[in-house]
Amino acid sequence: MTVRVTAVGLRAVCARTVLALLWALVVLGASALASARCVRYPERLAWVGNRDEVLARIPRLPEDGAFRFLFVGDPEDGGASMVELLRSERDRGPAFVVIGGDLVKYPTEARYGYFLSLMEGLGWEVPTPCAVGNSDVSSSEPRLFARFIGPRV
């Protein structure tokens, strides 16, 4: 049996592989730098999480009940794609953003810090409560979600 690989198909596979490796290097590199204390990430943002001060920022809804919000599901270290999604929706003026859990793929201080630094880099402060996902409370670091984001409920 002979398998043929065309140049176009090979280029597509190579491009996807290179992009996946670059993404891994960014996430792992950011985690390594933070673990080595070379990079300082925020530990909290006043507008992200489930603490009372974050929830108090959600504006009162208009009497007609019309409002916009944005739901983001499972970003799991999705960095650039999550940031681009949020930036693209900025002009629509959501009253708040809800993140549906799994903020990080594996909970570490560095990954939560990286997530918060991405949110901080958006340049807008829309209240953003976050649901807890199974990846956020793995058995290795179950308390990090509460430390960085706030209560699970």
Side-chain angles (χ1 to χ4, degrees), residues 23-55:
W23 173 83
L25 284 172
V26 167
V27 170
L28 294 175
S31 294
L33 288 171
S35 296
R37 305 288 186 221
C38 296
V39 173
R40 186 137 168 78
Y41 288 127
E43 195 163 306
R44 286 192 171 189
L45 295 177
W47 50 278
V48 175
N50 301 332
R51 295 174 307 281
D52 290 338
E53 62 267 21
V54 174
L55 301 177

Side-chain angles (χ1 to χ4, degrees), residues 74-92:
D74 292 10
E76 289 188 343
D77 303 327
S81 59
M82 180 188 72
V83 168
E84 287 308 311
L85 169 69
L86 292 173
R87 281 188 180 145
S88 72
E89 296 300 316
R90 180 180 184 172
D91 293 339
R92 292 182 181 219

Side-chain angles (χ1 to χ4, degrees), residues 13-127:
V13 169
C14 289
R16 281 191 293 253
T17 302
V18 167
L19 289 174
L21 287 172
L22 286 173
W23 173 83
L25 284 172
V26 167
V27 170
L28 294 175
S31 294
L33 288 171
S35 296
R37 305 288 186 221
C38 296
V39 173
R40 186 137 168 78
Y41 288 127
E43 195 163 306
R44 286 192 171 189
L45 295 177
W47 50 278
V48 175
N50 301 332
R51 295 174 307 281
D52 290 338
E53 62 267 21
V54 174
L55 301 177
R57 288 176 164 242
I58 297 175
R60 286 178 89 48
L61 300 178
E63 287 189 26
D64 67 1
F67 68 95
R68 291 181 185 273
F69 76 98
L70 182 61
F71 178 85
V72 178
D74 292 10
E76 289 188 343
D77 303 327
S81 59
M82 180 188 72
V83 168
E84 287 308 311
L85 169 69
L86 292 173
R87 281 188 180 145
S88 72
E89 296 300 316
R90 180 180 184 172
D91 293 339
R92 292 182 181 219
F96 57 93
V97 175
V98 174
I99 298 182
D102 292 345
L103 309 179
V104 297
K105 195 164 192 80
Y106 305 105
T108 65
E109 290 180 6
R111 286 176 185 245
Y112 274 112
Y114 179 66
F115 167 78
L116 290 175
S117 72
L118 290 173
M119 297 299 287
E120 185 177 49
L122 286 171
W124 59 318
E125 296 185 4
V126 174

